[in-house]
Amino acid sequence: MRVLVSGGAGYIGSHTVIQLIAAGHDVIVVDSFANAKPSVVGRLEALTGMPLDVRSFDLTDHDKTEHLFADEQIDAVIHFAGFKAVGESVEKPLEYYENNLVSTFSLVRAMRRHDVRKLVFSSSATVYGDNAQVPMQEDAPTSATNPYGWTKVMIEQVLRDVAEADPSWRIALLRYFNPVGAHPSGTIGEDPSDIPNNLMPFIAQVAVGRREKLSIYGGDYPTPDGTGVRDYIHVEDLAAGHVAALHRLGQTDTSVNTWNLGTGHGTSVLEMLHAFERAVGHELAHEVVDRRPGDIAESYADPTKAQAELGWRATRTVDDMCVDTWRWQSANPDGYP
Ligand code: UD1
């Protein structure tokens, strides 16, 4: 298939591009490079051994989006592009709603006009809000606690309505749990543009000497060791989940399909820290501080629906995630050039 990958230069997008090409697909990347470095492109080309077709523009630009679909024969779209920093979304709600929604409208309109009806959308476990039962199941009610999360809830609803109006659509809503890890080559990985908000890139920056110590947000949660529990999933397993979803869309009778992409296992902050210490070979400075507002005690997936319907499951361990993250971070202490 000829697959358009929006946000294909980003963290999850770049890992997925490699696996799409390995599976024999022809890939076009569209990326604004607002939150990705151009040097990722050369690294993807080195890993795949072929030139990558990259279009550098913002999907909110309707004309450019329309022209791309008019000029190219595209069979399916994987839509990763979007702003994703939770804290920033609270400070700049309008920018988040506008960017994430308008880019999706522009993309879906162009798809409809050019009869492209297969779409895989990057959603998030954040749509389960702060009240969900664990393990989280796809039929749980959705909500959000910040504008970033609301953009995911809203876009899911928009896509359900689009498919309701025209059941020839085949849409996958993929709800990721906590993506971590890096390509085993150590040449592509997560490269936050600012001080990392998320646990894994923060630990990695402590390990490489860019940050003094990890602040553990809360030691008094009702969890086995008192720290927050999450379902960390290796980005390579997540990328494989996208390829599986894309293939499945060609066979399903249902126009919208929602799948959790997680391992089904919870790992605490302290367990993750200790796994990273094993990967690095020494202890890492940390202290327990107050809880972070908005955080929940536990989040992990019920992945059985994705396993049954996609024939996919996450296989990498927490130690694999830490070893691969450390290989990337130690080889690229300041991220991409
Ligand atoms: C966060 C986002 C969520 C988003 C997800 C994407 C918030 C409130 N939530 O989820 O909307 O979908 O990332 O991956 O930002 N932790 C520390 N110290 C740190 C960083 C994190 O102790 O410096 C703890 C957190 O309290 C949490 C765990 O580590 O228990 C994971 O945190 P994080 O990586 O930010 O992910 P989420 O909170 O699950």
Side-chain angles (χ1 to χ4, degrees):
M1 271 188 276
R2 193 117 195 268
V3 186
L4 181 70
V5 183
S6 83
Y11 172 45
I12 304 169
S14 57
H15 289 80
T16 303
V17 163
I18 295 173
Q19 293 197 20
L20 286 168
I21 292 171
H25 298 294
D26 192 7
V27 170
I28 303 177
V29 166
V30 56
D31 205 298
S32 71
F33 292 94
N35 195 25
K37 301 269 177 63
S39 55
V40 74
V41 174
R43 294 188 176 194
L44 287 172
E45 290 176 332
L47 286 170
T48 60
M50 59 172 73
L52 187 63
D53 185 348
V54 180
R55 316 296 173 96
S56 177
F57 67 87
D58 199 313
L59 289 174
T60 56
D61 186 328
H62 301 266
D63 290 343
K64 286 187 178 152
T65 306
E66 165 60 26
H67 280 132
L68 176 62
F69 280 85
D71 293 347
E72 304 291 345
Q73 170 61 44
I74 292 166
D75 302 304
V77 176
I78 305 184
H79 181 33
F80 292 104
F83 292 166
K84 59 169 190 178
V86 173
E88 188 183 52
S89 80
V90 176
E91 281 150 33
K92 302 181 180 172
L94 205 51
E95 285 78 358
Y96 267 68
Y97 286 116
E98 183 163 342
N99 181 73
N100 290 3
L101 293 169
V102 172
S103 57
T104 306
F105 298 156
S106 164
L107 177 67
V108 173
R109 256 181 198 285
M111 290 178 72
R112 187 175 63 177
R113 198 174 299 117
H114 296 280
D115 224 7
V116 183
R117 295 281 193 278
K118 283 200 194 101
L119 175 64
V120 177
F121 174 63
S122 279
S123 189
S124 166
T126 201
V127 303
Y128 294 116
D130 54 3
N131 249 326
Q133 304 250 338
V134 286
M136 291 156 170
Q137 292 180 325
E138 287 87 348
D139 57 5
T142 59
S143 69
T145 55
N146 55 71
Y148 157 76
W150 281 116
T151 69
K152 296 296 182 191
V153 173
M154 289 175 182
I155 292 169
E156 283 199 359
Q157 186 61 45
V158 168
L159 296 176
R160 275 189 222 102
D161 290 340
V162 165
E164 176 80 30
D166 175 358
S168 71
W169 279 87
R170 289 292 174 273
I171 296 174
L173 306 175
L174 301 185
R175 294 179 177 163
Y176 315 154
F177 281 70
N178 291 59
V180 297
H183 190 269
S185 66
T187 61
I188 62 168
E190 188 172 14
D191 181 18
S193 51
D194 226 324
I195 300 173
N197 297 307
N198 296 122
L199 178 65
M200 193 67 148
F202 202 100
I203 295 177
Q205 291 194 7
V206 172
V208 84
R210 279 171 71 181
R211 312 272 160 215
E212 192 197 333
K213 62 179 163 199
L214 172 71
S215 296
I216 296 179
Y217 298 140
D220 57 353
Y221 282 107
T223 58
D225 65 20
T227 66
V229 166
R230 296 291 182 275
D231 186 342
Y232 298 94
I233 176 168
H234 197 297
V235 65
E236 289 279 284
D237 282 327
L238 194 59
H242 288 74
V243 178
L246 185 68
H247 293 168
R248 180 74 189 132
L249 282 185
Q251 307 152 0
T252 82
D253 296 331
T254 38
S255 52
V256 180
N257 302 271
T258 306
W259 288 304
N260 280 340
L261 296 185
T263 65
H265 302 292
T267 302
S268 75
V269 176
L270 275 173
E271 286 170 333
M272 190 51 111
L273 176 69
H274 294 325
F276 211 93
E277 290 174 335
R278 286 195 292 278
V280 176
H282 58 79
E283 289 185 6
L284 297 170
H286 60 277
E287 65 173 342
V288 178
V289 300
D290 286 346
R291 294 179 181 190
R292 178 170 65 179
D295 273 0
I296 54 178
E298 290 190 286
S299 159
Y300 53 92
D302 178 342
T304 50
K305 184 169 183 281
Q307 290 171 352
E309 295 175 11
L310 299 178
W312 163 93
R313 69 172 59 232
T315 59
R316 279 115 176 139
T317 65
V318 163
D319 284 301
D320 297 331
M321 301 173 202
C322 292
V323 165
D324 288 336
T325 300
W326 180 234
R327 190 182 297 108
W328 150 254
Q329 191 71 69
S330 52
N332 302 271
D334 297 312
Y336 290 109

